[in-house]
Amino acid sequence: MKKWIKENLVLVSGIVLPVLLVGGFFILSNAPRVLSDPPDYDFIIVGYRYDYQHPSNYYLSFQVSDGRLTGKALPRDQDNTNINRQQAGIFRYDAASNTFEEIIYELPDGLDSLEEPVSISIPETSGLKLDKRLKSPDGYTFEYLGYRGRGGLLGEIFGMRRRYESGYALKKDSAYIDLPRPVTDPYMQNDLHFMGWVIQENDTP
């Protein structure tokens, strides 16, 4: 056997080395994800879209103020005619199950004749305290990756460049955790905004 290996060293090297390279690359590319602690914190995102078939005289705006998610409907005027945010969806990411759930809310009446900004009530988030910093307390960030090549030339050669199903991931150092599609509406997903990490629940404002 040893004699055969010596006589066919080039052939053996041509078979063994690519296998070792692929195996080593696979281990290196997945080790950070395996070794990294899973995320502990939920977060809130908001997606906007515009109904071109039924244009309105208002637009919606959500933000985090003093740790609370707040929303407003504002009248359109000459200064904001290009703000296409007539509809908005609020979604909460559940870290334990790696899923998104939509938070249902109701818009105030009389928006078609809106002349002054009006607040939007969001009862399901009233007990949540949010941290709007991009990095969570346990070191993760919410990122849009799309189709990003990870692995460089070797990854391209061996077909191991990573494609993300939803385009979104949680990132910590060099570790990535794939996320499910946050929003089913493709128009709303094009205008998706991170609001904050859920750091406390049922906390008195």
Side-chain angles (χ1 to χ4, degrees):
M1 185 66 178
K2 292 182 179 180
K3 181 179 179 181
W4 183 89
I5 293 176
K6 290 181 179 180
E7 293 176 350
N8 298 274
L9 185 60
V10 175
L11 175 62
V12 173
S13 300
I15 296 174
V16 174
L17 288 179
V19 173
L20 293 176
L21 285 172
V22 172
F25 178 79
F26 180 81
I27 293 173
L28 290 174
S29 63
N30 286 275
R33 178 176 60 84
V34 174
L35 296 176
S36 180
D37 294 330
D40 292 325
Y41 292 88
D42 296 4
F43 60 84
I44 301 293
I45 56 176
V46 171
Y48 296 100
R49 70 159 296 177
Y50 182 69
D51 189 347
Y52 291 94
Q53 295 181 342
H54 304 89
S56 66
N57 294 319
Y58 66 89
Y59 70 94
L60 306 177
S61 176
F62 290 87
Q63 62 180 349
V64 173
S65 178
D66 295 327
R68 307 295 169 183
L69 181 65
T70 62
K72 287 185 177 182
L74 300 100
R76 294 171 64 92
D77 56 34
Q78 294 181 352
D79 295 329
N80 57 44
T81 54
N82 293 322
I83 298 180
N84 296 329
R85 295 180 175 180
Q86 178 183 338
Q87 299 178 10
I90 306 173
F91 303 88
R92 176 172 177 168
Y93 172 73
D94 181 75
S97 62
N98 190 35
T99 58
F100 284 94
E101 181 179 357
E102 185 172 4
I103 295 175
I104 304 301
Y105 66 97
E106 294 185 1
L107 292 176
D109 296 329
L111 293 185
D112 290 335
S113 57
L114 189 67
E115 295 182 357
E116 297 291 336
V118 59
S119 297
I120 298 173
S121 177
I122 321 169
E124 288 196 34
T125 67
S126 61
L128 304 181
K129 186 173 182 179
L130 303 179
D131 183 346
K132 62 181 180 180
R133 288 177 293 184
L134 295 180
K135 182 175 289 189
S136 68
D138 57 349
Y140 279 95
T141 56
F142 172 69
E143 297 191 9
Y144 177 73
L145 301 176
Y147 176 56
R148 174 178 296 183
R150 288 172 52 206
L153 180 60
L154 286 177
E156 193 68 55
I157 292 174
F158 296 113
M160 298 181 69
R161 289 170 73 89
R162 188 65 175 274
R163 185 182 295 275
Y164 295 88
E165 181 179 354
S166 72
Y168 292 91
L170 287 178
K171 180 180 181 296
K172 182 178 181 180
D173 299 326
S174 58
Y176 292 82
I177 296 179
D178 292 353
L179 296 177
R181 189 177 298 277
V183 184
T184 57
D185 186 328
Y187 296 100
M188 191 171 287
Q189 181 153 314
N190 290 334
D191 195 8
L192 204 60
H193 299 263
F194 174 81
M195 293 288 104
W197 305 94
V198 179
I199 56 174
Q200 289 183 16
E201 295 195 50
N202 300 320
D203 186 46
T204 304

